[in-house]
Amino acid sequence: FFMSNTKVILISRPVGLLNPSNFKIVKDTISKPQKKGDVLIQSNYLSLDPESRGWVENSPSVLPPAKLGEVMRGLCVGTVVESLSDKYKPGDTVVGMFGWQGYLVLNEDDTHLTKVPDIPGVPPVAWLGPFGSAGLTAYFGLLKIGNPQPGQTVLVSGAAGAVGSIVGQIAKIKGCRVVGTAGTEEKCQKLIEKFGFDAAINYKTAKNLSDEIREACPNGVDVFFDLVGGHILDTALRRINDGMKGIKREELYREKKKEREGWRCKKDD
């Protein structure tokens, strides 16, 4: 009653950039469900999120650091292969923090296990994107905190990512002018042509980022959804309107020396 399994184990904390030596690939076996309520899951899709960089460091944030010697943490979508549970049956699509491995066994009451509906036309991987944490972050962050109104200008940093691209599309639905920043011309083109942004700024090639934001946001910025922090945050805050709403996702920006930047700016005239 055993089957082959492949795992990626975190074996050391990175110093600087991540390196393959921080991980080890292990092939072993996993037992099939043994007791009432157990479910055998095959992971089909793994989400490599920016938070993974923080998890491998020894610095707790929303979640504690990933433990050395254990399977690397990761959000996955999978399929129930075998089940001794009344809640789950083979073929069910499930999502949870299954980690970097091919198979695992969880109990039906495990908080890391959630059954999701099969929706016609919606691929299972969507539960890692627009129907998952990225979509929820974009939806509630923009609509509940930002509360954009028709005709207002919404600026999104890190706009080509999973959260930012959804933020821009929701803002367009709400009748806003939407401007995004990204790090390549290809991403900027994608923001306009695929996601419907009104303008996109390549912050890496901009001669004067403040001037380019001013040109793209001639009426100022009413809602700023910040996903990167740092100098883009400082620069964008110079274009804010009175009553501007700012949404900043927790701790995505880290300086190399671990020194966080403050809001060191004053509003442009």
Side-chain angles (χ1 to χ4, degrees):
F1 298 101
F2 292 88
M3 57 191 307
S4 178
N5 190 29
T6 301
K7 303 176 180 180
V8 178
I9 308 297
L10 177 66
I11 60 173
S12 64
R13 307 286 181 194
V15 177
L17 296 177
L18 276 172
N19 190 286
S21 63
N22 297 128
F23 303 94
K24 179 172 66 173
I25 298 176
V26 175
K27 294 185 180 294
D28 62 7
T29 58
I30 184 171
S31 62
K32 296 185 179 182
Q34 299 293 311
K35 64 180 186 293
K36 181 67 175 178
D38 280 355
V39 179
L40 174 64
I41 302 161
Q42 179 180 13
S43 291
N44 299 322
Y45 301 97
L46 166 67
S47 181
L48 293 178
D49 298 304
E51 290 90 341
S52 299
R53 186 63 177 88
W55 292 340
V56 299
E57 297 180 357
N58 195 23
S59 53
S61 55
V62 177
L63 292 175
K67 294 182 179 180
L68 296 179
E70 295 189 1
V71 174
M72 177 59 194
R73 181 185 296 147
L75 184 65
C76 303
V77 169
T79 304
V80 174
V81 178
E82 294 188 20
S83 175
L84 296 180
S85 165
D86 295 329
K87 297 180 181 179
Y88 299 91
K89 65 180 186 297
D92 283 347
T93 300
V94 290
V95 63
M97 205 67 78
F98 303 155
W100 295 14
Q101 57 186 332
Y103 295 88
L104 77 161
V105 173
L106 291 176
N107 189 267
E108 62 184 13
D109 295 325
D110 196 296
T111 56
H112 292 307
L113 180 61
T114 302
K115 180 180 176 180
V116 295
D118 291 322
I119 303 174
V122 176
V125 72
W127 293 100
L128 298 179
F131 289 177
S133 61
L136 293 174
T137 301
Y139 182 90
F140 288 103
L142 180 65
L143 298 184
K144 299 302 181 182
I145 300 176
N147 190 27
Q149 301 300 309
Q152 289 187 331
T153 297
V154 175
L155 176 64
V156 186
S157 64
V163 175
S165 59
I166 298 174
V167 168
Q169 292 174 78
I170 295 174
K172 287 300 297 181
I173 292 172
K174 290 296 181 179
C176 300
R177 174 174 176 79
V178 182
V179 178
T181 66
T184 68
E185 291 302 320
E186 181 182 3
K187 290 179 180 179
C188 288
Q189 184 178 1
K190 186 177 183 180
L191 288 177
I192 295 172
E193 296 180 356
K194 183 173 182 178
F195 299 127
F197 281 59
D198 295 289
I201 301 169
N202 186 337
Y203 69 89
K204 289 185 178 179
T205 60
K207 293 182 178 179
N208 188 307
L209 183 59
S210 182
D211 288 346
E212 296 213 16
I213 293 177
R214 182 194 297 271
E215 181 179 347
C217 307
N219 297 320
V221 176
D222 300 295
V223 179
F224 178 38
F225 204 115
D226 180 36
L227 291 162
V228 296
H231 77 283
I232 296 179
L233 168 63
D234 287 344
T235 304
L237 290 175
R238 300 189 181 107
R239 294 297 299 147
I240 62 175
N241 292 328
D242 291 339
M244 184 275 289
K245 301 287 185 65
I247 305 97
K248 180 170 176 59
R249 192 175 181 188
E250 180 265 343
E251 210 175 356
L252 285 187
Y253 179 80
R254 298 164 182 260
E255 287 190 279
K256 291 182 179 179
K257 295 183 178 179
K258 309 290 184 180
E259 298 172 355
R260 298 182 186 177
E261 293 188 356
W263 290 18
R264 310 175 312 280
C265 65
K266 63 179 181 178
K267 185 178 178 181
D268 288 345
D269 295 331

